[in-house]
């Protein structure tokens, strides 16, 4: 894993091309050391103050751009709720604009996912195994399958004084080589995995809210849990720690780069889903790596592409 630093000048002069995309796709972290995502200190102060006022925030505060809605923050006065929505929606817009500038090849091609505010101290958080952020993993969303798309996330932190500390390892290909078969890659084609997909389809047809998971999504969700529970991987010597400083912006594909967060408080994040065909190097996308190993396509769309090729 490398850390690729991008200067404001590279962004301003539009000279970045596919440099950041290539670095991200290969499992590296792109850092913008001197980029201020918030232009008003009052917004930062509001977010920092929120934690003290609200005792029952959920795991994170989520902002859902498509619905223009905040969830996970329950105990605000109507005024605070309105302000939070406004602050989160402006953060999301600025983060998306920045993503488009840093990754020009992806602009217009992504699916905008949620933004989040992470107001809790990560060190020593008491969460169930699957939700623990301090165990290394690659990301997969239970309720929002990507159908082979990559999970690209832009982070920043508004903590005025403390670093956010990650442990990272990867890239995906070496993880997959080592663990994908044991984690059940071959099993997602048929058997109970296929039955689950068929049952989910029936459920959706009768109006139930069942996620539309492809074999890829089923595997990635299982891989997330498998890695968190794998002692050998959790103690791998290949992992290294990395500190993000206050007010830095950083990005990575969290389904390519294995990561965990050891400590830190008050981060924000915006996620976009990048279809494999929009990537600069689609052949190293997790879905391509896994398909080569499995020997069969992992999504219906890729099966159709293969048949028509
Ligand atoms: C994660 O995606 O596992 C957590 C990253 C963070 O909140 O810093
Ligand atoms: Fe994660």
């Amino acid at each position: 894993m490398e850390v690729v630093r991008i200067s404001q000048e590279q962004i301003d002069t539009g000279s970045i091309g596919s440099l950041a995309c290539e670095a991200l796709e290969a499992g590296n972290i792109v850092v913008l050391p001197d980029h201020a995502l918030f232009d008003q200190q009052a917004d930062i102060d509001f977010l920092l103050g929120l934690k003290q006022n609200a005792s029952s925030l959920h795991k994170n505060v989520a902002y859902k751009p498509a619905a223009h809605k905040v969830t996970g923050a329950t105990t605000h006065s109507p005024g605070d709720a309105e302000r939070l929505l406004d602050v989160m929606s402006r953060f999301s817009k600025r983060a998306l604009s920045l993503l488009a500038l840093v990754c020009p090849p992806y602009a217009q091609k992504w699916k905008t996912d949620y933004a989040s505010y992470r107001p809790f101290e990560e060190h020593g958080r008491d969460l169930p195994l699957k939700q623990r952020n301090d165990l290394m993993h690659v990301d997969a969303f239970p309720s929002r399958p990507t159908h082979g798309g990559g999970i690209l996330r832009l982070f920043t932190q508004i903590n005025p004084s403390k670093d956010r500390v990650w442990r990272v390892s990867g890239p995906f290909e070496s993880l997959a080589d080592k663990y994908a078969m044991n984690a059940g890659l071959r099993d997602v084609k048929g058997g109970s995995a296929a039955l689950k997909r068929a049952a989910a389809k029936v459920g959706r047809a009768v109006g139930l809210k069942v996620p539309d998971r492809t074999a890829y999504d089923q595997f990635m969700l299982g891989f997330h849990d498998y890695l968190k529970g794998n002692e050998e991987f959790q103690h791998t010597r290949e992992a290294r720690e990395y500190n993000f400083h206050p007010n830095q912006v950083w990005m990575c594909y969290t389904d390519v780069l294995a990561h965990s967060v050891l400590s830190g408080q008050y981060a924000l994040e915006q996620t976009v889903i990048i279809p494999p065909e929009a990537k600069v190097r689609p052949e190293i996308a997790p879905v391509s790596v896994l398909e080569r190993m499995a020997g069969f396509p992992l999504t219906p769309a890729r099966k159709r592409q293969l048949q028509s090729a």
Side-chain angles (χ1 to χ4, degrees):
M1 195 282 299
E2 282 172 41
V3 174
V4 177
R5 301 169 87 81
I6 304 279
S7 68
Q8 192 61 41
E9 196 189 340
Q10 281 171 291
I11 298 173
D12 293 343
T13 56
S15 61
I16 196 159
S18 61
L19 186 116
C21 292
E22 282 173 43
L24 292 163
E25 289 177 23
N28 299 307
I29 297 178
V30 164
V31 173
L32 282 64
D34 50 7
H35 192 92
L37 253 182
F38 284 89
D39 59 346
Q40 294 177 37
Q41 185 60 36
D43 288 345
I44 295 178
D45 292 343
F46 170 74
L47 289 173
L48 291 174
L50 212 53
K51 172 70 180 3
Q52 287 131 38
N53 305 338
S55 55
S56 62
L57 292 170
H58 295 190
K59 184 179 174 192
N60 297 316
V61 174
Y63 171 66
K64 302 176 177 172
H68 185 54
K69 225 178 140 183
V70 164
T71 58
T74 47
T75 56
H76 300 281
S77 68
D80 270 2
E82 218 170 279
R83 175 114 194 247
L84 180 60
L85 181 63
D86 175 52
V87 172
M88 289 304 293
S89 83
R90 282 186 290 112
F91 162 75
S92 171
K93 282 199 187 84
R94 288 176 73 107
L96 291 167
S97 308
L98 182 58
L99 269 163
L101 290 172
V102 176
C103 299
Y106 298 157
Q108 323 292 328
K109 294 183 184 158
W110 64 54
K111 183 167 171 278
T112 304
D113 196 73
Y114 300 168
S116 65
Y117 174 43
R118 300 157 181 240
F120 293 105
E121 171 56 57
E122 295 292 342
H123 182 72
R125 264 182 99 171
D126 185 19
L127 291 169
L129 181 109
K130 286 184 191 178
Q131 288 187 39
R132 275 178 60 181
N133 292 338
D134 61 325
L135 296 170
M136 281 208 299
H137 61 281
V138 284
D139 282 351
F141 303 144
S143 63
R144 283 141 33 236
T146 72
H147 297 190
I151 300 175
L152 177 59
R153 305 186 112 170
L154 178 147
F155 292 87
T156 190
Q157 61 166 340
I158 53 172
N159 195 316
S161 56
K162 246 187 85 190
D163 285 354
R164 195 170 188 87
V165 183
W166 277 21
R167 240 177 123 229
V168 291
S169 180
F172 187 84
E173 191 148 17
S174 64
L175 278 189
D177 273 348
K178 227 168 170 176
Y179 300 115
M181 288 304 178
N182 277 345
L185 178 58
R186 288 238 166 81
D187 306 335
V188 291
K189 188 173 187 182
S192 68
L195 269 178
K196 272 189 195 157
R197 291 196 294 276
K201 198 169 172 184
V202 172
R204 282 192 304 281
V206 299
L208 297 178
K209 275 199 153 187
V210 190
D212 180 12
R213 286 184 199 139
T214 62
Y216 172 77
D217 299 298
Q218 288 176 312
F219 173 77
M220 289 300 278
L221 212 50
F223 201 35
H224 165 275
D225 300 349
Y226 172 92
L227 291 174
K228 281 190 174 175
N230 185 304
E231 283 295 315
E232 182 202 67
F233 175 60
Q234 291 305 322
H235 296 105
T236 175
R237 285 162 178 268
E238 281 159 35
R240 56 175 273 208
E241 279 188 24
Y242 191 80
N243 284 41
F244 299 102
H245 308 311
N247 292 318
Q248 266 186 348
V249 171
W250 69 99
M251 302 174 192
C252 63
Y253 273 104
T254 53
D255 54 355
V256 176
L257 176 73
H259 59 281
S260 63
V261 51
L262 301 181
S263 65
Q265 190 174 9
Y266 307 121
L268 288 108
E269 161 276 333
Q270 169 71 54
T271 302
V272 291
I273 305 300
I274 311 290
E277 60 277 12
K279 288 189 167 183
V280 177
R281 293 183 62 198
E283 74 281 4
I284 60 167
V287 68
S288 306
V289 170
L290 294 171
E291 284 178 346
R292 275 198 297 278
M293 290 181 69
F296 52 84
L298 288 169
T299 75
R302 291 174 70 89
K303 190 173 177 181
R304 283 194 297 274
Q305 274 166 21
L306 214 67
Q307 282 163 349
S308 66

